[in-house]
Amino acid sequence: MRKKPFFLTLLSVLCFIEPLIKIIYFKVTTNFGFLTIMANLSERDSLREVFEFWLLFPIAGLMIMKLRNWSYAGFIGLMGYIIYTIINYEEYTWPYNSDTPFMYSYVVAMICFAIIVYFLLPSTRRPFFDARVRWWEPMVRYKVSMPCQLVTSKGSWTSTIHNISKSGVFVQDSDKVEVGDKIIMEIIAYGETYSLILEVMNKHTINGQTGFGARLHFHSIAQIFRFRGMVNKIKQSQEAGQTAVA
């Protein structure tokens, strides 16, 4: 089984348990029972107080778990906010109620700062923006026999998609296609027409079928959701033992 890099998993866990660490610290330093501590915490109901105590670090951990282009900016922003709040912390104020922030928060913040510097390097930003380098997150492919229309500068022709995922397709080979080509592909599936741009990544044979693997390029978020909705229908149809495309 392929796994996400350990340091990313560890940092996610450290962020997720940060609110629990604060609660344990309150228990150790005050000798109050957990029910009393939770009752005191529940009196803090302003949006900022709730966010800073319960959500700030866990959301940062979620951003690390979901390596996407949107989570890259979100993680950098949250880490900047965390570092800002620690640097500008006033004694005995929320959320620590002590003379300084807890050492645990310092440690996590320092790790996060190191991660920020690390993620500024182009090579380490790639997992957020390129699904192909997230080796621990294989994209499920669905075997299909789906007709499609391909258009290039060399002409247009009807072809067949042999398998499909949310990020790419494997299509019947053609001498009109070379690795690196950009192709327009049109599909009619479930009563809807999809016009997509493909980038040919390689040529190979799968289960005796020779074809080319292509990565999908989307021009809008709406197109991404629309295409993924079609792939989900294929998944549901195959799970139900039905025809892949209607």
Side-chain angles (χ1 to χ4, degrees):
M1 180 179 180
R2 296 178 286 187
K3 296 182 180 180
K4 184 178 295 186
F6 175 73
F7 81 94
L8 291 179
T9 301
L10 176 62
L11 186 57
S12 297
V13 172
L14 292 176
C15 288
F16 280 127
I17 67 173
E18 193 270 348
L20 178 61
I21 297 298
K22 288 199 290 275
I23 293 174
I24 293 174
Y25 179 85
F26 290 151
K27 176 70 170 67
V28 171
T29 57
T30 65
N31 291 320
F32 291 159
F34 284 114
L35 291 179
T36 302
I37 292 172
M38 296 304 296
N40 290 335
L41 291 176
S42 66
E43 294 179 1
R44 299 279 187 165
D45 56 2
S46 75
L47 182 60
R48 179 176 177 178
E49 289 175 335
V50 170
F51 173 75
E52 290 187 350
F53 190 93
W54 296 106
L55 301 177
L56 182 55
F57 276 89
I59 291 177
L62 180 62
M63 296 291 183
I64 299 169
M65 291 184 65
K66 296 293 291 183
L67 294 181
R68 300 293 186 272
N69 51 3
W70 59 267
S71 68
Y72 177 80
F75 175 76
I76 297 296
L78 283 173
M79 290 304 98
Y81 183 79
I82 288 170
I83 293 170
Y84 171 82
T85 57
I86 289 178
I87 291 174
N88 293 277
Y89 177 72
E90 296 181 9
E91 294 183 2
Y92 297 100
T93 58
W94 193 254
Y96 302 103
N97 290 329
S98 63
D99 54 348
T100 62
F102 301 156
M103 181 55 65
Y104 182 89
S105 298
Y106 275 121
V107 171
V108 175
M110 286 189 291
I111 295 175
C112 289
F113 179 76
I115 293 296
I116 289 176
V117 174
Y118 178 70
F119 281 152
L120 290 177
L121 301 175
S123 61
T124 53
R125 285 203 307 264
R126 289 188 66 203
F128 286 94
F129 298 99
D130 191 344
R132 291 173 298 171
V133 301
R134 295 196 290 269
W135 68 88
W136 59 87
E137 187 181 81
M139 195 67 71
V140 178
R141 294 184 175 274
Y142 301 98
K143 186 177 180 180
V144 295
S145 182
M146 183 185 301
C148 64
Q149 188 73 20
L150 301 178
V151 181
T152 71
S153 58
K154 299 177 183 178
S156 64
W157 68 99
T158 300
S159 189
T160 302
I161 300 172
H162 295 311
N163 71 48
I164 191 169
S165 74
K166 292 180 180 179
S167 63
V169 291
F170 180 68
V171 185
Q172 180 181 335
D173 196 16
S174 169
D175 56 10
K176 299 178 183 178
V177 175
E178 302 293 338
V179 174
D181 286 354
K182 294 287 183 68
I183 303 174
I184 297 175
M185 179 179 71
E186 291 189 353
I187 308 170
I188 298 177
Y190 299 100
E192 295 188 55
T193 300
Y194 301 82
S195 182
L196 304 160
I197 297 176
L198 307 181
E199 179 183 0
V200 180
M201 307 304 295
N202 51 59
K203 288 193 173 189
H204 54 278
T205 300
I206 299 177
N207 297 327
Q209 296 173 321
T210 301
F212 61 87
R215 178 188 180 192
L216 293 166
H217 288 271
F218 300 102
H219 59 70
S220 68
I221 294 177
Q223 188 182 45
I224 293 174
F225 281 109
R226 186 165 175 261
F227 179 78
R228 290 188 174 188
M230 181 193 72
V231 175
N232 285 333
K233 289 179 182 178
I234 293 173
K235 174 185 175 182
Q236 292 166 5
S237 296
Q238 293 190 357
E239 288 177 347
Q242 300 171 1
T243 303
V245 179

